[in-house]
Amino acid sequence: MIEFGHGTHVGLRREHNEDTYYADDALGLWLVADGMGGHDHGEVASALARDHVLREAGAGRDLADAVRSADEAIIRHSTRRAEALPMGTTIAALRIRDGSYEVTWVGDSRVYLWQGALRQLSQDHSFVQQLLDQGAITSEEARAHPQRNLVTQALGVTDPQQLRVETVRGAVEPGMQFLLCSDGLTEEVDDAAIARVLARTELTAQECVEHLILAALDGGGSDNITAVLVRVR
């Protein structure tokens, strides 16, 4: 049995919400996409990614292949535009079927697993993550780094030959919770605070999402905020 909650908020400093998401327990598919590109281009890119992954994965295609196909669709759309501004999006997707989960991502939208403790399943495709991997900065320094929002991979922007569509798979067990979110949440709410919310099993999944979004707004709401929480009963 699956329970899930979802929500998005434009934040306190942006005029447009370039995030989008999808949540469907019948299909067993949930995703978050964080668009970029200015004006309405980010909104278009994230919506294209959502719709394309939904269609391809719904037809039975491997989730990573569906994401690569979405990348091609965004590039095709971009080449038809007269404007010079780039258009791209991050994506984090989860599919649950046949007792297993599949997590796929590009960029810095994240997927966490709660199973008595919080663990980040995805790994950010970002400049700051590269510095962390090199041991050049600490986790505390990463949260305040001036280039913490610089992604190194994104659909529609990265050369398709260099695009890293990463996937993690595992067995589904009762009590698991999967949190998919844009960086508008993790920018303002640290992992310890996220863990405290997910540990509150007296709350519904929807109530947990609402608590997380409110925490991000209380933290400053510097970006669009999107969260999808999937619980396995």
Side-chain angles (χ1 to χ4, degrees):
M1 178 181 172
I2 299 291
E3 176 201 358
F4 64 92
H6 51 86
T8 189
H9 194 288
V10 69
L12 303 177
R13 303 184 193 176
R14 300 294 181 93
E15 294 183 0
H16 304 287
N17 193 343
E18 295 184 310
D19 287 359
T20 192
Y21 69 90
Y22 183 79
D24 185 347
D25 60 339
L27 188 58
L29 179 66
W30 297 265
L31 67 83
V32 168
D34 180 355
M36 61 193 75
H39 303 295
D40 63 347
H41 300 151
E43 298 169 42
V44 171
S46 61
L48 279 170
R50 176 199 62 206
D51 295 346
H52 208 81
V53 169
L54 170 59
R55 181 171 65 251
E56 296 293 312
R61 196 167 184 184
D62 179 84
L63 193 53
D65 287 342
V67 169
R68 291 188 186 95
S69 181
D71 176 58
E72 295 168 1
I74 293 168
I75 292 172
R76 285 195 302 270
H77 184 87
S78 295
T79 58
R80 293 196 295 265
R81 296 186 298 114
E83 298 94 334
L85 287 172
M87 180 175 73
T89 185
T90 69
I91 192 166
L94 164 71
R95 181 158 61 180
I96 295 178
R97 60 178 179 177
D98 302 327
S100 298
Y101 69 82
E102 180 182 17
V103 167
T104 297
W105 73 94
V106 175
D108 63 354
S109 289
R110 292 181 179 177
V111 183
Y112 289 94
L113 171 64
W114 168 267
Q115 197 175 21
L118 190 69
R119 178 163 62 96
Q120 186 177 332
L121 292 180
S122 61
Q123 185 178 48
D124 295 351
H125 295 145
S126 69
F127 176 67
V128 163
Q129 184 63 51
Q130 290 180 344
L131 294 178
L132 280 168
D133 293 343
Q134 296 164 5
I137 60 174
T138 65
S139 298
E140 292 74 20
E141 290 170 333
R143 289 193 59 80
H145 197 281
Q147 293 177 294
R148 61 188 178 277
N149 300 123
L150 179 61
V151 296
T152 57
Q153 296 274 320
L155 302 185
V157 176
T158 303
D159 182 335
Q161 300 300 317
Q162 304 298 321
L163 187 68
R164 291 169 54 197
V165 182
E166 300 201 58
T167 299
V168 172
R169 296 180 177 88
V172 171
E173 299 175 8
M176 282 182 165
Q177 298 186 65
F178 297 90
L179 174 66
L180 294 78
C181 59
S182 62
D183 68 339
L185 176 67
T186 53
E187 176 79 10
E188 309 292 1
V189 186
D190 63 22
D191 286 6
I194 290 173
R196 286 194 294 271
V197 173
L198 300 192
R200 297 185 61 183
T201 54
E202 79 278 8
L203 299 177
T204 66
Q206 186 61 43
E207 287 171 335
C208 284
V209 166
E210 291 166 3
H211 276 274
L212 290 170
I213 291 175
L214 285 173
L217 292 170
D218 287 343
S222 60
D223 200 353
N224 307 147
I225 308 155
T226 301
V228 175
L229 180 63
V230 181
R231 284 178 171 170
V232 182
R233 295 297 191 184

